[in-house]
């Protein structure tokens, strides 16, 4: 199925979004389980707090039971009957002779009336069951203090004073007994509500049994049940916390693993999509750079049916057309140069005849003109020869005469041939060979031309007083010849084009040439199975490297017949 580039990118993003959606769903499930567990733990915590409240109520009941037992003497007391005894003692003693003669009798009667009124108020509170208020009234200091003070000062009311003290003691025991009984009943009622809230039927039954007969043993049995329920609740909380920790650890591990997995999958999808997009672009870029150097024979394989595939097909068609145009140009140039050889030879021969004065004598000015014509014809003949040679080299039609050559001796001869030219320009030539004897197979004539072209350029572009160095070194597989100069150098943007046909460096100080010398050098070295490269820094100099394999077998198309 054919998909466009945009659809492929969309599908890649869709896959990533799908994995993100799955991760989000799993995360929500884990979060939901955490919420459920949290609610369960909150419920257990509330249950434990309720049980602790019930335990506090039991402690209050236990304390009330112990305090009530202290006031057991007031259990059957009656305020009305108890105070009637006090009134009888007061009436009897107030009628005695000594009492009538007591000057405090009016004050005592007044205080006793107030006391009677306060007791009546206490009885009303007791009848209404307001034992807490009644308990507070007992401790009001003015209620009995003034009366007892007057009775202590009067010998006639000794029995009345004792009766009041006994009444107050019984009244206090009675009030406290009833107060703690009421408090126990209230606490038991709260325990019933707690049992209903806890939904514990066994606890409700036990509380009902205790309510019928409240004893310390019953309270202790309730304590035991509550503590057992608390233990169960604490165990439930601990189990819930442990489960929560386990789920948290699982969530962490799952999240880490799933996130890493999602990242890896997203990374792989991104790599796949980017490679599907960038790989054809990189091939197009490499082929474009290769074609920019005049090579149109590298076709790009079509690996997709999308827009990139269509672009690749169009690029291959463009290379075919450019190749045809380049071949037509080469054939045209070769044809023209070949056709120019005969006329140039005729012109050169005619100039030579005129210089030899065979047709007749010539003047000095005529001889100078003929000399200039001869030099121009020679230069043009050399250019035509270079064009024909590079055309043969590129077409693989150049015949090589491969012979064993002693490399140091071979390089010495080339250097010696340029000594005069270097001396005339004020340039010194140095040599550095890493070996004294080494023989290898090569075409001496063509290799001399290749090395000579580089050496000639080095001398040509080195100013007076500069130097040129020829180095040769061996590696297990190759022979490297490096020619360095201290000349004007090559601009950075021109370095990669220096071996192109007809390319000339455009910089101040560069001298015009045909632009074929280094191109021929490259073709000769490549024909020997080697390679060339150049390093240069503008204003400091240039180094050209010729790399030749130590063991070379020329192709059949290059072998001389």
């Amino acid at each position: 199925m054919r998909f466009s580039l945009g659809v492929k990118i969309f599908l890649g993003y869709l896959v990533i979004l799908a994995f993100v959606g799955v991760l989000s769903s799993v995360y929500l499930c884990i979060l939901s389980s955490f919420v459920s567990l949290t609610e369960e733990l909150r419920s257990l915590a509330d249950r434990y707090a309720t049980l602790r409240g019930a335990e506090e109520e039991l402690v209050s009941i236990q304390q009330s039971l112990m305090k009530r037992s202290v006031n057991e003497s007031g259990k059957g007391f009656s305020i009305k009957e108890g105070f009637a005894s006090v009134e009888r003692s007061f009436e009897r003693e107030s009628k005695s002779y000594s009492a009538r003669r007591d000057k405090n009798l009016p004050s005592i009667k007044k205080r006793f009336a107030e006391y009677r009124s306060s007791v009546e108020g206490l009885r009303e509170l007791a009848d209404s069951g307001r034992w807490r208020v009644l308990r507070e009234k007992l401790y009001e200091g003015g209620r009995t203090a003034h009366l007892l003070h007057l009775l202590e000062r009067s010998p006639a009311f000794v029995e009345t004073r004792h009766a009041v003290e006994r009444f107050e003691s019984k009244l206090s025991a009675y009030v406290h007994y009833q107060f703690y009984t009421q408090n126990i009943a209230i606490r038991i009622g709260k325990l019933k509500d707690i049992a209903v809230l806890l939904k514990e039927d066994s606890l409700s039954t036990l509380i009902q049994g205790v309510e019928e007969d409240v004893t310390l043993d019953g309270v202790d049995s309730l304590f035991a049940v509550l503590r057992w329920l608390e233990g169960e609740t604490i165990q439930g909380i601990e189990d819930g916390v442990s489960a929560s920790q386990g789920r948290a650890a699982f969530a962490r591990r799952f999240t880490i693993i799933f996130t890493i997995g999602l990242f890896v999958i997203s990374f792989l999808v991104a790599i796949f999509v980017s490679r599907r997009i960038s790989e054809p672009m990189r091939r197009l870029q490499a082929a474009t750079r290769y074609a920019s150097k005049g090579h149109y024979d590298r076709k790009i394989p079509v690996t997709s049916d999308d827009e990139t595939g269509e672009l690749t097909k169009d690029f291959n068609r463009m290379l075919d057309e450019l190749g045809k145009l380049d071949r037509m140009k080469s054939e045209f140039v070769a044809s023209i140069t070949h056709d120019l050889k005969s006329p140039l030879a005729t012109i050169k021969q005619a100039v030579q005849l005129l210089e030899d004065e065979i047709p007749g004598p010539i003047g000095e000015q005529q001889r100078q003109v003929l000399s200039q014509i001869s030099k121009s014809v020679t230069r043009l003949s050399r250019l035509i020869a270079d064009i024909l040679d590079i055309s043969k080299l590129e077409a693989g039609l150049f015949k090589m005469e491969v012979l064993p050559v002693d490399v140091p001796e071979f390089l010495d001869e080339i250097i010696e041939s340029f000594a005069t030219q270097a001396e005339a320009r004020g340039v010194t030539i140095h040599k550095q060979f890493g070996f004294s004897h080494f023989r290898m197979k090569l075409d001496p004539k063509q290799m001399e031309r290749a090395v000579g072209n580089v050496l000639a350029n080095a001398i040509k572009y080195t100013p007076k007083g500069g130097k040129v160095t020829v180095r040769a070194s061996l590696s297990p597989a190759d022979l490297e010849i490096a020619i360095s100069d201290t000349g004007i150098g090559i601009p950075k943007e021109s370095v990669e084009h220096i071996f192109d046909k007809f390319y000339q460096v455009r910089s101040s100080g560069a001298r015009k040439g045909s632009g074929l010398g280094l191109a021929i050098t490259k073709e000769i070295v490549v024909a020997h199975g080697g390679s060339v490269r150049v390093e240069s820094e503008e204003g400091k100099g240039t180094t050209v490297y010729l790399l030749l394999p130590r063991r070379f077998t020329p192709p059949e198309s290059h072998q001389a017949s």
Side-chain angles (χ1 to χ4, degrees), residues 282-495:
R282 282 198 294 269
R283 288 198 293 266
L284 275 171
Q285 184 182 39
T288 302
R289 289 177 178 173
Y290 188 72
S292 68
K293 297 177 181 179
H295 306 292
Y296 308 113
D297 55 344
R298 180 180 291 179
K299 299 296 178 62
I300 305 174
V302 180
T303 57
S304 63
D305 295 329
D306 55 17
E307 294 90 339
T308 306
E310 294 296 328
L311 179 61
T312 303
K313 293 177 183 177
D314 292 340
F315 185 81
N316 288 336
R317 284 193 290 268
M318 181 190 71
L319 287 181
D320 289 336
E321 294 301 321
L322 288 174
K324 291 177 183 178
L325 289 173
D326 189 62
R327 286 191 296 273
M328 289 173 63
K329 179 196 71 174
S330 298
E331 290 171 1
F332 174 76
V333 171
S335 176
I336 291 298
T337 52
H338 187 272
D339 292 342
L340 287 174
K341 284 181 71 178
S342 295
L344 282 175
T346 302
I347 294 171
K348 188 172 183 179
Q349 188 176 10
V351 170
Q352 187 65 43
L353 291 172
L354 290 172
E355 286 179 337
D356 293 342
E357 297 183 354
I358 293 175
I362 60 174
E364 186 61 32
Q365 289 183 348
Q366 293 170 331
R367 188 175 298 279
Q368 290 178 0
V369 172
L370 289 173
S371 177
Q372 291 176 358
I373 294 172
S374 179
K375 290 179 181 178
S376 298
V377 169
T378 301
R379 187 163 55 250
L380 186 57
S381 298
R382 191 181 303 117
L383 175 60
I384 290 172
D386 287 343
I387 293 173
L388 290 173
D389 287 345
I390 199 168
S391 298
K392 291 178 181 179
L393 285 167
E394 288 178 340
L397 301 175
F398 197 85
K399 303 303 180 182
M400 299 178 65
E401 296 181 3
V402 179
L403 301 171
V405 174
D406 185 81
V407 175
E409 182 180 345
F410 171 73
L411 293 176
D412 281 337
E413 291 176 357
I414 297 174
I415 294 170
E416 185 64 27
S417 67
F418 282 91
T420 303
Q421 180 182 344
E423 185 179 354
R425 294 189 58 82
V427 176
T428 57
I429 302 178
H430 299 270
K431 61 180 181 180
Q432 296 175 4
F433 299 161
F435 48 87
S436 58
H437 297 285
F438 173 69
R439 296 179 68 83
M440 67 178 294
K441 289 184 177 182
L442 50 82
D443 186 331
K445 183 179 178 181
Q446 296 305 323
M447 192 52 64
E448 179 183 359
R449 187 179 184 184
V451 176
N453 284 342
V454 179
L455 188 55
N457 273 354
I459 295 171
K460 180 179 179 181
Y461 293 108
T462 300
K464 186 176 181 180
K467 68 175 183 178
V468 174
T469 304
V470 180
R471 294 190 301 273
S473 59
L474 288 172
S475 69
D478 301 302
L479 164 68
E480 183 181 81
I481 301 171
I483 301 173
S484 304
D485 63 58
T486 57
I488 60 175
I490 304 171
K492 188 175 181 181
E493 64 274 9
S494 298
V495 170

Side-chain angles (χ1 to χ4, degrees), residues 106-124:
S107 297
I108 292 173
K109 286 183 176 181
K110 181 180 177 182
R111 292 295 181 185
F112 192 83
E114 292 175 354
Y115 179 59
R116 181 187 295 110
S117 176
S118 69
V119 170
E120 186 64 26
L122 294 177
R123 189 174 65 81
E124 290 177 359

Side-chain angles (χ1 to χ4, degrees), residues 176-292:
H176 281 88
Y177 183 87
Q178 294 299 331
F179 170 76
Y180 289 120
T181 300
Q182 186 185 53
N183 187 53
I184 290 169
I186 292 172
R187 302 295 179 185
I188 289 176
K190 289 184 178 180
L191 284 176
K192 286 182 178 179
D193 294 339
I194 289 172
V196 172
L197 182 63
L198 295 174
K199 298 179 181 179
E200 292 288 345
D201 295 336
S202 59
L203 183 62
S204 298
T205 303
L206 188 59
I207 290 172
Q208 287 178 357
V210 170
E211 183 182 21
E212 294 173 0
D213 184 18
V214 184
T215 62
L216 290 175
D217 292 338
V219 172
D220 289 340
S221 63
L222 272 176
F223 263 122
V225 172
L226 285 176
R227 284 167 183 160
W228 178 76
L229 290 174
E230 284 179 7
E232 275 195 337
T233 304
I234 291 172
Q235 185 62 46
I237 292 173
E238 290 176 352
D239 293 342
V241 171
S242 177
S244 177
Q245 291 173 344
R247 291 184 187 181
F250 170 77
R252 283 194 297 271
R253 289 194 300 270
F254 178 82
T255 303
I256 291 172
I257 293 172
F258 202 89
T259 302
I260 293 173
L262 177 61
F263 175 78
V264 170
I265 292 172
S266 302
F267 184 71
L268 293 176
V269 170
I271 289 178
F272 174 76
V273 174
S274 63
R275 282 179 66 88
R276 294 287 292 181
I277 298 171
S278 63
E279 188 63 30
M281 296 302 172
R282 282 198 294 269
R283 288 198 293 266
L284 275 171
Q285 184 182 39
T288 302
R289 289 177 178 173
Y290 188 72
S292 68

